[in-house]
Amino acid sequence: MEKDVFTNCRLCPRNCNVDRTQGEGFCKSGSEIKAARAALHFYEEPFLSGVSGSGAIFFSGCSLQCIYCQNKQISREGTGIIISVERLSEIFFELKDKGARNINLVTGTHFTPVIAKAIEKAKTNGLDLPIIWNSSGYEYAETLKMLEGLVDIYLPDFKTLDSKIAQRYFKAVDYPERAKEALAQMVKAAGTMSFDTSEQARKEFEEEGLMQKGVCVRHLVTPGNGEDSKAVIQYLYETYGDDIWISVMSQYTPMEPYDLPELNEMVSEEEYEEIVDFAIDLGVTNCMIQEGRAVGTSFIPEFNGEGIEK
């Protein structure tokens, strides 16, 4: 089944139809799992990282290929190590042994069928940590259905509601519609949001405890696109209300000189505060914000193969 999926690949909305058993698709990946890092990660939303850290596995390749990607070393340049389904399943347990509060699968859309097999294997062998699907939001709902009953927490981006911005930054004019459809499937699959509110969990994040099930949607504010950011937040809140969390991020950082002038700037504090105030005035209560100048390369881990090979 999975071989058939990869031989004429249409797992993501790029529909590149490439035989990924013989070469790479638009995602810069073949059919075998490739990952660049598996380690405790402390830079996710506090109710996911807690104090102990999220067990993050960074997969190589990406089906979106944002022009401003901070992780281009793995998304575009191919850094990573090929591993088996069995090895990925082992990594889950190794992260648990290190104290991870969850297993955080970062940008795995293009490997969905084989990642699903690894999760199934791990759960059969007793893995009891929440599984996070951490993605760009540019996904087919049908592909996401492969993860139903396997993933507990969905952590998608919702980058833009403007098809012109989507074309300009990702060459994906259909991003808004695909992201809407993907998010609807994620909310349906996740079911009712729940948190671990035990004494230990509240020590990790005192306000809420640690998320066990649910959806947290991330929106990265980009320079000069404040009205689009407001439109995204309004759409999310009017569609899902308090059934989801919204994380409004200020950490955009130019990684290189870009041909698009606005991307060479950082988001000003005034821009960001205006968007946060808009969310508050709208009535959003389940909202994460980044305080201070949360920018720079401090959010980018080393993609040195840590935790991937035995």
Side-chain angles (χ1 to χ4, degrees), residues 68 70 169 219-227 229 248-254 261-276 290-296:
Y68 52 73
Q70 294 186 337
Y169 294 167
H219 174 70
L220 176 66
V221 179
T222 52
N225 294 313
E227 293 307 307
S229 290
V248 184
M249 302 188 298
S250 66
Q251 69 192 56
Y252 174 79
T253 304
E262 73 275 18
L263 293 182
N264 294 313
E265 305 293 329
M266 292 195 295
V267 176
S268 70
E269 291 184 23
E270 292 76 16
E271 274 184 292
Y272 183 67
E273 287 172 5
E274 182 179 334
I275 292 162
V276 170
Q290 290 181 322
E291 297 180 354
R293 298 301 294 156
V295 297

Side-chain angles (χ1 to χ4, degrees), residues 130-205:
I131 304 292
I132 301 175
W133 189 252
N134 185 337
S135 72
S136 71
Y138 190 54
E139 299 169 277
Y140 274 141
E142 286 302 310
T143 300
L144 288 167
K145 288 179 181 178
M146 298 179 187
L147 301 169
E148 283 193 69
L150 299 174
V151 166
D152 305 285
I153 299 167
Y154 290 89
L155 185 61
D157 292 337
F158 202 114
K159 295 178 181 291
T160 181
L161 267 177
D162 188 326
S163 59
K164 291 180 181 178
I165 292 175
Q167 179 63 21
R168 187 171 171 85
Y169 294 167
F170 329 130
K171 298 202 182 320
V173 69
D174 62 336
Y175 179 90
E177 292 308 309
R178 299 292 82 78
K180 287 180 182 179
E181 293 164 359
L183 179 56
Q185 168 59 26
M186 292 175 186
V187 172
K188 178 183 175 184
T192 303
M193 190 186 309
S194 67
F195 285 77
D196 176 359
T197 56
S198 66
E199 183 179 351
Q200 177 58 42
R202 286 187 179 277
K203 287 179 182 177
E204 299 254 359
F205 184 56

Side-chain angles (χ1 to χ4, degrees), residues 19-46:
D19 182 352
R20 287 174 55 199
T21 66
Q22 302 299 316
E24 295 180 351
F26 181 93
C27 57
K28 311 286 187 188
S29 302
S31 59
E32 295 179 284
I33 301 167
K34 193 176 186 182
R37 179 182 175 88
L40 297 180
H41 193 61
F42 300 93
Y43 305 111
E44 306 293 30
E45 284 66 19

